[in-house]
């Protein structure tokens, strides 16, 4: 009778029984597991008598290009060759990674003929699909990444754009994520990490920017004779499970109101420190192309306001003072679209007035007057001030101190609108918000965490 020691195990939520020691009843010797057996290839197993020919077969069907158990387990574990036919290109990454890893044994024939090696990988994947074995779940952006893997990616992405004329040398890395087509074709050519505090286990912020930011800003500073650019800052959630992290973005819009991203910051929450990182870096970029910032278009969130105030204090001798410009769309958002606050991403003046007890008919009149006043040209400043005074006189009982001090204070920038900035500048962060919405639907990071 053979003796077998077993243990109940639980791995990643999967429970099972593990047999970990077997004893030969005749000699009482413990059976030793052959740790190299899974590295054998089918044709080697046949030569050692571990396989037999099929009934009636006169010659072996196995070739040096067939996969070993070790190689099949590797593909199963990493699963970057997706079930989807459109993702079958990732089989190339899997094959390349196996060929470069010293830990994964490959036959000389596999290393000499990448085409036949790739065919063997693809055929095995297709066989598993025909058997309805859909274990290929890990895809780029949808699989967890270890802390050390993430740190390697971030460190590599800090490479200067001047040194990115060719794909990076991956011979020193055993990080499968670096070998995917997504990294080679999308991340490496376009993303530059400016700073991060990842130590291999935890992190709190990652600031990155477009590789070609200098070309974008060099064109942006030519829009106006004084070389100044209106920047736009916004934060959004929705790229990670449970909304643990927020993503801040900064960019600008051209005369056609097309938005161009120049930098992003992944952080725990929207605060003046994260907003300050984005703004400070953008100001450094503008300085490198002999430009500057005159306005920052914001949704009214206090964190963004404080970041702008801090930037002005740190550059007290700068030739241009940064002015805060309210997003006109945020202020006049319809009351029942979203949110209910009076400032920030969920802000809405109509909704705020209704919450303060103003009847709907009066609210419509106030908002309509504010919209019309915002179109009074800067050349007629007297009419602008008189119109605000008449509005307060007419609806004074419905306008509390906050509305008067926040929006009706005589400063066009607080009211927002197309007349508040330079001709051609956008008056809202709609382009930025559309980009944020596209990012949330196109780039999902369910495993984004701080480890």
């Amino acid at each position: 009778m053979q003796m077998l020691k077993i243990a109940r195990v639980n791995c990643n939520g999967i429970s099972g029984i593990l047999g970990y020691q077997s004893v030969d009843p005749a000699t009482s010797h413990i059976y030793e597991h052959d740790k190299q057996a899974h590295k054998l290839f089918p044709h080697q197993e046949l030569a050692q008598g571990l396989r037999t020919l099929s009934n009636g077969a006169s010659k072996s069907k196995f070739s040096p290009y067939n996969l070993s158990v070790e190689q099949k387990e590797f593909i199963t574990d990493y699963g970057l060759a997706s079930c989807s036919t459109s993702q079958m290109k990732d089989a190339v990454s899997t094959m390349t990674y196996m060929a470069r890893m010293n830990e994964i044994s490959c036959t000389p024939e596999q290393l000499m003929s990448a085409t036949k090696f790739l065919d063997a990988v693809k055929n095995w994947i297709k066989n598993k699909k025909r058997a309805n074995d859909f274990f290929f779940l890990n895809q780029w952006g949808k699989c967890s990444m270890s802390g050390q893997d993430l740190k390697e990616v971030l460190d590599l992405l800090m490479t200067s754009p001047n040194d990115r004329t060719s794909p990076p040398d991956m011979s020193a890395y055993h990080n499968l994520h670096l070998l995917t087509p997504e990294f080679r074709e999308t991340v490496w050519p376009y993303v530059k990490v400016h700073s991060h505090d990842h130590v291999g286990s935890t992190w709190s912020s990652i600031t990155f920017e477009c590789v070609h930011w200098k070309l974008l800003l060099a064109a942006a500073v030519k829009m106006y004779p004084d070389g100044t650019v209106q920047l736009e800052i916004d934060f959004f959630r929705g790229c990670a499970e449970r909304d643990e992290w927020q993503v801040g973005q900064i960019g600008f819009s051209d005369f056609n109101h097309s938005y161009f991203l120049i930098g992003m910051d992944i952080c725990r929450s929207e605060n003046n420190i994260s907003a300050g990182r984005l703004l400070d870096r953008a100001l450094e970029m503008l300085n490198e192309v002999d430009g500057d910032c005159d306005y920052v278009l914001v949704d009214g969130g206090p964190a963004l306001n404080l970041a702008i105030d801090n930037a002005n204090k740190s550059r007290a001798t700068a030739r241009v003072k940064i002015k805060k410009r309210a997003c006109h769309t945020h202020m006049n958002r319809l009351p029942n679209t979203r949110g209910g606050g009076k400032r920030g991403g969920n802000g809405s003046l109509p909704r705020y007035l209704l919450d303060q007890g103003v009847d709907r008919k009066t609210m419509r009149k106030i908002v309509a007057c504010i919209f019309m006043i915002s179109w009074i040209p800067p050349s007629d400043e007297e009419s602008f001030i008189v119109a605000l005074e008449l509005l307060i006189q007419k609806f004074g009982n419905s306008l509390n101190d906050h509305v008067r001090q926040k929006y009706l204070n005589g400063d066009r920038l607080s009211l927002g609108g197309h007349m508040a900035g330079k001709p051609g500048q956008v008056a809202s962060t709609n382009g930025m918000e559309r980009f944020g919405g596209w990012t949330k639907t196109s780039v999902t990071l369910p495993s984004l965490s701080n480890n």
Side-chain angles (χ1 to χ4, degrees), residues 238-302:
C239 278
E241 284 183 348
R242 301 180 300 278
D243 283 336
E244 281 187 272
W245 302 90
Q246 290 207 40
V247 180
Q249 57 172 322
I250 191 166
F252 67 92
S253 298
D254 64 6
F255 290 149
N256 293 323
H257 293 192
S258 296
Y259 172 70
F260 294 89
L261 173 77
I262 58 174
M264 278 187 161
D265 186 85
I266 303 177
C267 52
R268 181 66 73 178
S269 64
E270 177 181 345
N271 55 67
N272 67 88
I273 297 176
S274 54
R277 276 195 300 265
L278 283 172
L279 182 56
D280 290 344
R281 178 54 186 156
L283 293 174
E284 291 176 3
M285 293 174 173
L286 282 170
N287 185 59
E288 288 192 37
V289 294
D290 298 323
D292 208 337
C293 170
D294 52 358
Y295 299 103
V296 175
L297 193 60
V298 298
D299 60 11

Side-chain angles (χ1 to χ4, degrees), residues 37-202:
H38 67 303
K39 293 180 176 290
L40 293 177
F41 295 87
H43 70 286
Q44 295 173 335
E45 294 175 344
L46 184 65
Q48 296 183 22
L50 300 175
R51 284 181 181 266
T52 58
L53 295 177
S54 303
N55 293 334
S58 58
K59 62 179 183 178
S60 171
K61 64 178 180 180
F62 302 117
S63 74
Y65 301 104
N66 290 115
L67 304 179
S68 67
V69 173
E70 179 187 44
Q71 291 175 329
K72 293 177 181 178
E73 287 179 344
F74 173 82
I75 299 172
T76 303
D77 291 340
Y78 284 88
L80 282 169
S82 164
C83 290
S84 169
T85 304
S86 63
Q87 296 292 330
M88 190 62 74
K89 63 179 181 180
D90 286 337
V92 177
S93 302
T94 307
M95 178 207 69
T96 305
Y97 192 72
M98 285 192 293
R100 289 180 175 176
M101 279 188 67
N102 295 329
E103 294 85 353
I104 304 295
S105 300
C106 298
T107 64
E109 290 81 1
Q110 288 175 338
L111 298 177
M112 290 294 292
S113 178
T115 302
K116 292 185 178 180
F117 190 10
L118 179 60
D119 288 341
V121 173
K122 287 185 175 181
N123 288 334
W124 188 74
I125 293 172
K126 290 178 181 178
N127 286 336
K128 302 303 288 186
K129 286 175 63 181
R130 282 196 292 267
N132 294 321
D133 193 350
F134 294 105
F135 53 78
F136 297 107
L137 301 178
N138 293 340
Q139 300 175 26
W140 174 269
K142 297 183 180 180
C143 60
S144 60
M145 182 184 293
S146 72
Q148 192 57 43
D149 285 348
L150 176 56
K151 185 177 184 303
E152 281 187 352
V153 172
L154 296 175
D155 289 342
L156 187 60
L157 289 176
M158 293 186 76
T159 304
S160 170
N162 298 329
D163 299 327
R164 298 198 187 192
T165 54
S166 60
D169 181 12
M170 299 300 183
S171 59
Y173 295 95
H174 284 177
N175 188 339
L176 184 63
H177 299 276
L178 296 175
L179 296 174
T180 59
E182 286 81 359
F183 180 82
R184 295 194 308 269
E185 300 167 9
T186 304
V187 179
W188 176 255
Y190 300 109
V191 179
K192 160 73 167 63
V193 172
H194 174 67
S195 64
H196 72 87
D197 59 0
H198 206 301
V199 296
S201 55
T202 60

